[in-house]
Every structure is written in C-alpha cells, then in structure tokens.
Amino acid sequence: MLEITGKSVFGGVAIGPVKIYRKQENVVKRSKVDDVEAEVTRFDAAKDTAKQQLSALHDKALKEVGETNAAIFEAHRMFLEDPGYLDSVYNIIRTQSVNAEVAVATTGDNYAEMLAAMDDDYMKARSADVRDVSNRVISVLQGNAGDGSLGDEPVILLADDLAPSETVQLDKSKVLSFVTRHGSTNSHTAILARTMGIPAIIGADFAEDIDGKPGIVDGALGKLFIDPDEETLQKYTKQKAELDEKKRLLQELKGKENVTKDGRKINLYANIGGVGDVAEVLENDAGGIGLFRSEFLYLKKDDYPTEEEQFEAYRKVAQMMAGKKVIIRTLDIGADKQADYFHLDHEDNPAMGFRAIRICLKRPEIFKTQLRAIFRASYYGNIAIMYPMIISVDEVKRIKEIVAEVKGELDAANIPYGDVEQGIMVETPAAVIMSEELAQEVDFFSIGTNDLTQYTLACDRQNAAVEDFADTHHPAVLRSIETTIKNGHKGGAWVGICGELGADTSLTETFLRMGVDELSVSPSRILSVRDAIRKVDLSK
Ligand code: PEP
Ligand code: MG
C-alpha cells in the first residue's frame, strides 16, 4: 500500500480507482487550402459551435458553481466576437492560403503574447484565456469531443490542477474526489469540491504510474492510499457508510421545520464572522443569523473601518438573508481579539479587562459609527442588534441613550432605517443574576455560553492549563442558562443561546425543556441540531 499525504481541502471518504486527468493537446498541422472562402466559412461554423459550447458551459457553471466562476465563459465567448481577433484569423487564411487551425493557433499565440506583455495583472491573466478559447475552436475544427467524459466508472480524479473550463465540463457524477498536485485551498478545484461536498486534497505529490489503481481518499486527513490493504479498506468502507448515512439524513432535513415531536417550534440560526459566511448559512438552511461577530470587520483592517464600509457589509448580509433575521453583535474587541490601531494598554488579565461594550461606552465615537452603519443597513432587511459583555442595567440604559442619539441624527438627516430589535448577550454571571431586571429593558437575550462558562467557572478560555476544569456541562453553567431563560420570559424577552454549547446535541432536549426560543450555531451544525430537535418529545 502506498500512502500519499497532501493538504485537506474538504473532508469525507472516497473509495474507487484513481484516474490521472490529462489535458487534451491539439496537434495543429499546416496545410494549404485552395478554396480560402470555404475555409473561412469552415472557421465561422466552428467559431459559432464554440460560442454555443461556451454559452452552455456558462449556464452549467452558473447552476453548479455560481456567478463568479461562470463569468469566465462569458469572457471566453467575447474573444470570439472581438473584431481584431476575427480579422486576424480571416486575414491569415486569405493571405497565406492555410487551414483554419493554423490561423486560429497563430492568432491565439499572438494575442496571448501581447496580453502577457502588458503591465496590467488583469490583462496578463487573460493571456491564458485566449489560448484556452483558441484551443476550443481548434478542437471543434478537428472534431475532438473535449466533453470531459471520464468513462463509466466513478473515479478519484488526480490532476496537476484543473482549469475552470475543465472542471465545468467534467461529468460530476463520475468524480468521487479531487486530488491535485498544485492549487491552493481557494483554487477553483478546491471551491468546486466544497460546493460538491466531496473529499479533496491539494499538494499531493503522486507519480504517473498509479493511474488506474484502486485508491482511498481520506479528505479530512489529506491522505490518498493507493492499493490499500484489507484492513485499511475495511476501516474506510465502514467510515464511508456511516458518513453517507449521516449525509443522507441531514440532506433529508433541509427545508424541514425545527419542531419537536409534540409540536414545539424554535428558531435555528447561524453564527457568522462576515459576508463570506452567508453562502454557507443559506446552504445549510439556517432560519437567520443569530450572531454576526462584527469585530471581524475591525480585525481585518489596519485602521477603524469607516461607517460606509460597515454599512456595506451589514447591508449585503441583510439583503442576502432576504428578510430573515440578522442579529449583529456590536464590536467585541479586546481580550483574545486585538487590533493594534485601538492602542489598548497591555493588561495582565485581558479576559476581565477593557473589552467589548466597555470600550464602546468609553469611546462613544467608535460605537456611534457602528450603530449608524447598522441602523442604516436595517432599512434593507431584518436586522437586530445585541450588545456583548453586559453586566448591569445602567449599561443598557446608557446604550439606549446613545441609540436614541444616533436615531435622532439619522432622522435629522432624513436617512431611513427599519424596526430594530435590541438585545444583550448574557455571558457574565452578573447578567444572569440581574436577568429579571435586564429583561425589562430589552427585546431579547442571547446566552454566550463560551464566556459564561469562563466567568462562572473562573477558567480562562485561552488557558489550556485549566481546560480540564472548564466543564461546559457544569451544573452552575446549566443552572445559569435555566435562570436566564426563566427570567427573560418573565420580563417579556425571548431567549436564545449563541455560544458553542448551543450546538451540543446532547443538551438540545435540556435546552428545549428549559424553554429556549432560539439556538444559533455554526452553519455546518445547523442540520445536526435540527435532527436533534426533531427527535425530542417534550410531552414525555
Ligand atoms: C460567547 O461568549 O459564548 C460568544 C458567543 O461570544 P464569543 O465566543 O465571540 O466571545
Ligand atoms: Mg463572548
């Protein structure tokens, strides 16, 4: 058995023969033509066929891999409408009396060289495109299929890397896994593998002589086994059957309600760190966003993000979620999340230090910029705001004053905004103890179990030495959650959980019995939690 290690792009197990993908090379031979006009007509017909292929590829890519990946085929099609490109081909056929293949190859090479010599990076990159499209026309002229057919049996596809035009043409039902020598975790092949949900590895150094041999891919470990021994085969056959069953079950749950056997429905939302995570949220069928960790907008930058930058991010998320709730948590910087430009002093105990709402209340100009951006974006969707690290009713009252100021400024400037629910994170023991009073001030609570566990158990979440003491199922943590839910309801607030514990399916029934109204978990956990909710019967 041969074991090849690369880098994991997407987890899962694939078992099947390996096939090394070889690029189709067109050999162009020069020949004299007597009837140049007939040759021009032959080229025109081939060009039209190539354009039809590109339109079909564009539509296929749009469905399978989205707008950005599909755009490349539009660009290719446009080359075949470029008067300069076409005139060059016609001219070569007519003046040199040569076959269309030679005219296209020569034009393609000339254009590619010209583009490659340009200063502009974008134009440089088009050089590969003009070669690709010229190759396509030559394939049509020569009658080469180029349809990406892989034979009858599904295979583990091995390649140097694959161009978008190659991956889109592949018959996806015949690809069990992608393994490439090159490419990055964001390469086209990697994105495609994730979209298809099949295991994939990059950076795998394989030899050509393994073509056709039996193989196994362990996507999570980034391993490819060639000629697997009996023990490995058995192990992975079992693992694959379990994963397939889980996948099937979870896919079945898409579009289903988050409802217990006895009819209690709750909201199941997703946690995100930025606009880039929304696709996964929608893909996993979350009902909304229960925690948008807005600090990631700040952490990505070298200076404070402007109101406009923030507005754009919040508006995009709200619009992509199309009316579903998006709860934006205001800046939670400090402690484990630092940005130099805030110039925060070094602290011996940052977890208990100057962070989150404390910074916002002490530096209201930062806070107000964010609030203005959020309120402006609220006009474009269903946005709610929540505030992190709250410990007192006074803080909430102060926040409300600042919010009122911001709304007043927007009103004065005639800037529209929507109805925005206001909530707080309950993630300090103080907030739990004060939850009855706090509930009267807000529309909702979201329990941050990560910090609540840290503060309740006095176990720094950054300190590996105390990890064994940080028991998230500790009765003190669970009792705090119960108290918060009970007091929240008493004060008229709905209560959710957005810390990691919300995704712990061994506690789903417990939370439902406590009366939780919402769970917000990472996108990949949505369907498992839905499965757990649907198995609960609260009447028993
Ligand atoms: C939490 O504390 O549980 C939480 C959700 O917030 P963060 O993990 O971002 O501190
Ligand atoms: Mg927290």
Side-chain angles (χ1 to χ4, degrees), residues 206-227:
F206 53 83
E208 296 289 311
D209 63 358
I210 61 172
D211 199 16
K213 294 196 171 169
I216 296 177
V217 172
D218 181 333
L221 293 182
K223 287 198 183 295
L224 166 66
F225 302 94
I226 299 296
D227 285 329

Side-chain angles (χ1 to χ4, degrees), residues 271 291 293 295-296 329 332 336-337 355 425 427 447-452 461 498-500:
N271 297 347
L291 167 62
R293 289 182 161 100
E295 56 276 10
F296 285 100
R329 174 176 74 185
D332 186 3
D336 53 320
K337 298 171 198 141
R355 60 173 285 199
M425 296 213 40
E427 52 184 346
I447 306 174
T449 53
N450 309 335
D451 278 315
L452 187 58
R461 63 195 266 200
C498 66
E500 294 301 307

Side-chain angles (χ1 to χ4, degrees), residues 223-288:
K223 287 198 183 295
L224 166 66
F225 302 94
I226 299 296
D227 285 329
D229 56 36
E230 199 46 41
E231 194 188 331
T232 310
L233 186 61
Q234 268 183 19
K235 176 180 141 192
Y236 279 108
T237 305
K238 186 161 168 256
Q239 199 170 317
K240 185 174 178 319
E242 286 166 7
L243 285 173
D244 285 351
E245 175 63 5
K246 199 167 163 199
K247 221 168 161 181
R248 189 185 63 78
L249 258 180
L250 293 180
Q251 290 309 318
E252 266 176 23
L253 290 173
K254 268 198 184 177
K256 296 264 166 68
E257 284 187 315
N258 311 301
V259 61
T260 61
K261 282 195 191 314
D262 55 314
R264 175 135 192 275
K265 286 183 199 159
I266 67 159
N267 289 321
L268 186 51
Y269 294 164
N271 297 347
I272 64 164
V275 185
D277 297 333
V278 179
E280 218 194 332
V281 172
L282 297 172
E283 166 93 19
N284 286 287
D285 197 28

Side-chain angles (χ1 to χ4, degrees), residues 302-322:
D302 298 329
D303 202 352
Y304 298 99
T306 62
E307 178 183 319
E308 219 45 44
E309 281 168 343
Q310 295 192 57
F311 164 68
E312 278 305 319
Y314 305 145
R315 182 184 58 82
K316 264 190 208 149
V317 174
Q319 284 181 329
M320 286 162 90
M321 291 303 292

Side-chain angles (χ1 to χ4, degrees), residues 249-250 253 268 526-536:
L249 258 180
L250 293 180
L253 290 173
L268 186 51
I526 291 283
L527 294 169
S528 323
V529 177
R530 176 170 299 162
D531 189 33
I533 294 168
R534 293 172 66 87
K535 284 183 175 141
V536 171

